[in-house]
Amino acid sequence: MDEIQRWYDEKYDEWERLERHKIEFDITTRYLDEYLSGENLEIFDIGGGPGRYSIYLAEKGHKVSLLDLSKRNIEVAKEKSEERGISLEAYIHGNALELEKYEQKYDVILLMGPLYHLIKESDRKTAVENALRLLKPNGIIVASFISNYAPIQDYLKELYPIESVDELLGYLKDGKNEGDKGFTTAYFTDYKEARDLMNSFGLTEIIFAGVENILGSKEREINMLEECEYRKWLEIGYQLSQDENLMGTSEHFLYIGRK
């Protein structure tokens, strides 16, 4: 956990990442708009980084509390909230595996970061269990995963030099990324494994989506299009996002379920 915290505190700008990856943000927020119904919802964003989604939902009038492992991310969330003239209910430096002091009061839980930094299956299960304990009956949980095809997609987008084909394909076998491989400690998952994990808790699945799908490898070019053309491709991506035939083309998976 210390290594992951240092990565986000000292090396990586998560706020800027979603500026670059507009497709991921725009398709994800479309799903949030569609399935988080109601006004003034109590939302707990667990592992929400610098609060891109927290702030988005707070601007819609919801009561959002943000928790993240990185102190720097929490500081950025405060700065960005102030810039937008809003305030989150709480800015918490904390750990998704240590939520004992929080109570069941939330209409929505976002778990859109922790599950792809937990190498051990037992820890991933604990993170989900902790989140569900805080979720009201009939509440909504939103969880994100990084696909085990994501490293390949990343290399393909930029056509990075490949030092080892076997190493790149190795993520399809165990999904583990050690902290010395260009990214912090992470776990990349098969979509069936991700889906089975969430449904093992007796949730009612609402959607399971491959967020970027076929748009991912042309992300840079799509981002540079005129707004009307960009929106057309975004619509295509959204409509294809639940096509199981295309799940491996996505870098991120999104699960929405009801308790």
Side-chain angles (χ1 to χ4, degrees):
M1 287 299 172
D2 289 343
E3 185 264 319
I4 296 168
Q5 181 176 339
R6 282 196 301 273
W7 173 262
Y8 287 103
D9 280 349
E10 302 171 7
K11 298 181 180 180
Y12 198 71
D13 187 340
E14 177 65 14
W15 183 276
E16 186 62 29
R17 187 187 74 80
L18 284 175
E19 292 287 343
R20 298 193 309 273
H21 299 303
K22 289 171 53 182
I23 293 168
E24 177 191 344
F25 184 76
D26 286 343
I27 289 181
T28 299
T29 52
R30 179 163 173 178
Y31 273 115
L32 296 180
D33 290 344
E34 186 169 352
Y35 292 106
L36 303 191
S37 58
E39 298 180 354
N40 299 313
L41 297 174
E42 287 272 7
I43 300 175
F44 198 5
D45 187 358
I46 300 171
R52 284 296 302 268
Y53 294 110
S54 288
I55 292 169
Y56 177 84
L57 293 168
E59 288 178 321
K60 292 182 171 294
H62 300 303
K63 300 174 182 177
V64 187
S65 298
L66 171 67
L67 178 146
D68 196 74
L69 188 64
S70 164
K71 291 181 180 179
R72 177 57 184 155
N73 278 343
I74 294 298
E75 291 170 2
V76 172
K78 291 177 181 177
E79 294 167 5
K80 297 297 184 180
S81 299
E82 186 175 348
E83 288 175 9
R84 287 159 171 73
I86 59 103
S87 180
L88 303 184
E89 297 296 301
Y91 303 84
I92 305 164
H93 176 233
N95 188 329
L97 300 179
E98 300 171 356
L99 302 178
E100 295 82 3
K101 66 181 179 180
Y102 302 101
E103 61 185 56
Q104 182 187 73
K105 71 170 188 174
Y106 297 98
D107 303 297
V108 178
I109 296 284
L110 305 185
L111 196 64
M112 300 171 68
L115 295 177
Y116 50 74
H117 286 304
L118 297 171
I119 295 289
K120 296 180 181 178
E121 182 182 15
S122 59
D123 285 342
R124 295 193 294 276
K125 288 182 176 180
T126 296
V128 178
E129 288 168 355
N130 286 348
L132 292 176
R133 183 182 62 79
L134 306 180
L135 187 63
K136 293 177 181 177
N138 297 314
I140 296 292
I141 184 168
V142 183
S144 292
F145 301 83
I146 298 182
S147 165
N148 56 357
Y149 285 89
I152 300 171
Q153 296 292 348
D154 190 46
Y155 270 71
L156 176 63
K157 280 192 295 186
E158 302 296 336
L159 290 179
Y160 293 128
I162 298 173
E163 294 182 8
S164 169
V165 170
D166 289 341
E167 184 175 304
L168 195 56
L169 291 174
Y171 292 106
L172 303 182
K173 297 177 182 177
D174 66 15
K176 295 178 182 179
N177 186 79
E178 304 300 335
D180 59 351
K181 294 183 179 178
F183 186 45
T184 188
T185 300
Y187 183 72
F188 306 140
T189 183
D190 173 83
Y191 88 91
K192 293 179 181 177
E193 180 187 13
R195 199 172 201 170
D196 288 346
L197 170 67
M198 299 307 296
N199 289 332
S200 71
F201 292 94
L203 297 164
T204 299
E205 181 181 307
I206 298 173
I207 68 102
F208 189 93
V211 178
E212 303 91 350
N213 58 82
I214 65 167
L215 306 187
S217 63
K218 286 288 186 177
E219 178 183 47
R220 180 182 297 175
E221 294 88 342
I222 292 172
N223 287 347
M224 294 174 65
L225 292 171
E226 295 290 333
E227 183 68 12
C228 63
E229 288 299 310
Y230 172 79
R231 291 290 161 185
K232 290 175 186 175
W233 280 111
L234 202 67
E235 180 65 26
I236 290 170
Y238 178 78
Q239 292 199 28
L240 293 177
S241 62
Q242 295 181 52
D243 186 338
E244 292 190 2
N245 295 309
L246 300 176
M247 287 296 171
T249 64
S250 284
E251 294 181 82
H252 295 86
F253 303 133
L254 185 72
Y255 177 96
I256 302 178
R258 186 178 300 277
K259 183 176 177 180

